[in-house]
Amino acid sequence: LNLYENKTCSNFDIFSQFKLAIPFAIAAIIFYIGVGLGCLFLIVPGFIFAAKYGFFSVAIVDKDKGILGSFKESSKIARGSIFKLILFFVALAIVFLVIFAGFFLVNRFVPGFIDLTSNLFIILVAFIGSAIGFVFSGATLHIYKQLEKQTK
């Protein structure tokens, strides 16, 4: 958030917010169970749940909301934009899947390109996964901030 808002930040900022770790973890478990159960019922309810409550993590960090408060805040922010948010999250998932499927396809058609069990492959996937996660988090934060302006 500090980077997004052009504020100074340091590596130690994460430790100043450690009190949010447990509510964040519990809310994440609830969120992923909700999305998973929703996807079991014809997939669409899972997408709707993800779009409506997908900003819970930003609400916890940005607004210091508790578990239920973060879901309420996310619902308020997402109101009126559910379909666009579904498209956004589906697009993110497709990008993620295409990038990682590329690793497996290249390995399949270029024998010996990289051993899928090697340490290099694991490090490469972790690095690229982290980079993608950083970009996705930034995009999600940007959309959250734009929708927050609209709700005021």
Side-chain angles (χ1 to χ4, degrees):
L1 282 170
N2 285 346
L3 287 174
Y4 183 82
E5 295 170 349
N6 291 323
K7 295 179 182 175
T8 58
C9 58
S10 73
N11 294 337
F12 298 106
D13 287 343
I14 194 165
F15 298 112
S16 69
Q17 298 301 317
F18 193 71
K19 66 180 183 199
L20 301 175
I22 292 175
F24 184 91
I26 293 169
I29 291 168
I30 293 168
F31 175 76
Y32 289 115
I33 288 172
V35 171
L37 289 174
C39 285
L40 286 175
F41 299 105
L42 303 173
I43 298 175
V44 175
F47 288 175
I48 293 170
F49 187 91
K52 187 173 183 177
Y53 299 113
F55 297 115
F56 78 92
S57 59
V58 183
I60 287 175
V61 176
D62 187 33
K63 305 278 188 203
D64 200 14
K65 299 279 185 181
I67 297 167
L68 294 177
S70 68
F71 286 108
K72 288 177 185 175
E73 181 70 16
S74 180
S75 177
K76 183 177 94 175
I77 294 289
R79 191 171 295 127
S81 302
I82 297 294
F83 182 71
K84 289 178 186 176
L85 291 170
I86 289 172
L87 292 178
F88 169 71
F89 288 121
V90 167
L92 287 182
I94 289 170
V95 169
F96 186 79
L97 290 172
V98 165
I99 289 170
F100 281 102
F103 278 111
F104 296 102
L105 289 174
V106 167
N107 196 55
R108 173 88 168 110
F109 295 110
V110 182
F113 172 70
I114 194 164
D115 179 13
L116 296 180
T117 60
S118 73
N119 289 339
L120 175 62
F121 178 75
I122 294 167
I123 291 169
L124 194 60
V125 167
F127 177 76
I128 292 173
S130 296
I132 292 169
F134 184 75
V135 171
F136 286 1
S137 295
T140 302
L141 178 60
H142 178 73
I143 289 173
Y144 172 85
K145 288 294 189 178
Q146 295 302 311
L147 291 174
E148 182 182 45
K149 287 178 188 175
Q150 292 175 8
T151 59
K152 287 184 179 179

